[in-house]
Amino acid sequence: MFGNLGKKFADDIATQVQQKIGEHLSNKARETGSTEQATESLGQVTGRRKALFIGINYYGQNGELRGCINDVHNIKQFLSQNYRIDEVLVLTDDQTSNPRKMPTRQNILAAFRWLRNGAKSGDSLIFHYSGHGGSVKDTDGDEEDGMDETLIPVDYKQAGHIVDDEVHDVLVRGLPKGVRLTSIMDCCHSESILDLPYIYTVNGDLQIIETSKNEGIVTLVGAGTRFLLDGNKKKAMTSIKEGMKHLMSSTSGGNSAAREKTIKTRSTEADVIQFSGCRDSQTSADAQIGGEATGAMSYALITSLKKSKNQNYTHLLKEMRTLLNGKYTQIPCMSAGRKLVLDDSFAI
């Protein structure tokens, strides 16, 4: 109706409306006791920094992706240029001449062990994954939605998936106090892929009940605002469907027993922080941005940090959500292994 300038104006106004509605609902959640305040301080990084990057395009397989190896190169380059990294390991499925660098199930688990080996207080570990993620039925009662999330290695047809319980056991469990692990997961169904017990709102609070209802309300309000301003029926219907999906999923409520088990068995002494590309129920986009294939979440992280390297974790999550809002249905999330107050500047 209004052309490109009008559409941008509609997006900007709708995004501002969504942010205000989201802030209002978050404040109401505090008042009604559906969030709690984080309480524990984040330790300082003073030691060595190790990084593991995994990108899988699944060349020649069904579901082949285009941007995952690009994501690894882009994230690795950005972090290396802006932060100190002492040791690096890269697994990608274009390294066919070196079988140990292929992202097979065995190599990924071995890389997890390499990343955490010898870690001590003050050390920083970085893990970035871009590839397929999946979900399977939960068998031990620690998932509120009844589903375990999975990483899908390049040889999954022969070796199987890596279930989130195993990811946590091999990579996270038992990390010493004072170690920082920053995980960046650009894959589908990734919100709880590390099985961390504390999910954060964009205001830095800890979610303790199902928040899909609020996400649904915010999305529906944004859809209505955009439609009123630019008349884009197709885009409005996409947002309305996404909003209704959130509202429908909220009617089932949360599984408090599963949450209590996760807190009891998955809490960490280390400072474990995860950025994930989407909710457990969502998919992450393999996008084409600026003429290059890339994961939408990896792109959003780099773009947000380029605006300011000194923003805190909560603000970074908010920036990423704003950047993807209206373009992709996925909602970036942040979680942690302890009740960490994440108002320090992002650092690795």
Side-chain angles (χ1 to χ4, degrees), residues 64-288:
E64 181 176 336
L65 299 173
R66 300 169 300 165
C68 297
I69 293 176
N70 287 340
D71 289 342
V72 163
H73 295 321
N74 292 337
I75 291 279
K76 177 177 174 290
Q77 181 181 46
F78 177 81
L79 294 181
S80 298
Q81 289 176 345
N82 292 277
Y83 306 91
R84 195 192 88 223
I85 300 178
D86 302 312
E87 299 179 66
V88 172
L89 177 60
V90 177
L91 304 183
T92 52
D93 57 341
D94 60 348
Q95 300 187 80
T96 54
S97 62
N98 189 345
R100 297 180 65 181
K101 297 296 182 67
M102 290 289 287
T104 63
R105 189 181 196 281
Q106 180 179 349
N107 287 348
I108 290 173
L109 293 175
F112 288 170
R113 297 184 185 98
W114 169 86
L115 183 62
R116 61 172 295 161
N117 184 44
K120 59 183 184 296
S121 181
D123 288 348
S124 175
L125 314 177
I126 303 98
F127 171 43
H128 171 247
Y129 174 88
S130 183
H132 277 308
S135 59
V136 297
K137 187 174 178 58
D138 174 40
T139 59
D140 62 0
D142 66 340
E143 297 284 351
E144 291 189 85
D145 62 357
M147 302 295 289
D148 276 322
E149 283 59 56
T150 67
L151 299 180
I152 302 181
V154 70
D155 63 341
Y156 71 94
K157 292 180 180 178
Q158 299 78 32
H161 296 198
I162 305 175
V163 179
D164 53 12
D165 297 330
E166 188 171 14
V167 175
H168 183 93
D169 287 345
V170 178
L171 181 61
V172 177
R173 188 182 299 282
L175 281 172
K177 184 176 179 61
V179 172
R180 183 180 303 185
L181 169 61
T182 306
S183 177
I184 303 163
M185 307 302 296
D186 197 345
C187 58
C188 301
H189 315 294
S190 53
E191 180 180 10
S192 65
I193 193 65
L194 259 62
D195 262 356
L196 302 178
Y198 298 106
I199 309 296
Y200 286 78
T201 71
V202 293
N203 291 324
D205 295 328
L206 303 170
Q207 299 175 3
I208 59 175
I209 65 166
E210 174 62 56
T211 57
S212 289
K213 181 178 179 180
N214 288 356
E215 298 286 3
I217 292 171
V218 169
T219 304
L220 289 172
V221 170
T225 303
R226 285 188 178 87
F227 182 69
L228 286 174
L229 290 171
D230 72 2
N232 190 330
K233 184 176 180 180
K234 182 178 179 180
K235 193 170 187 178
M237 288 305 298
T238 299
S239 295
I240 288 170
K241 288 179 182 178
E242 184 66 21
M244 290 303 297
K245 186 189 299 182
H246 287 307
L247 287 177
M248 292 297 291
S249 68
S250 73
T251 59
S252 61
N255 183 339
S256 58
R259 174 176 171 77
E260 289 174 7
K261 180 173 183 178
T262 300
I263 291 174
K264 184 176 180 179
T265 62
R266 302 292 198 271
S267 294
T268 66
E269 290 191 349
D271 297 342
V272 184
I273 305 164
Q274 173 187 290
F275 288 96
S276 52
C278 63
R279 297 286 195 194
D280 280 344
S281 61
Q282 295 180 317
T283 58
S284 288
D286 187 39
Q288 188 80 16

Side-chain angles (χ1 to χ4, degrees), residues 287-301:
Q288 188 80 16
I289 302 174
E292 179 182 65
T294 183
M297 186 269 186
S298 295
Y299 164 79
L301 178 68

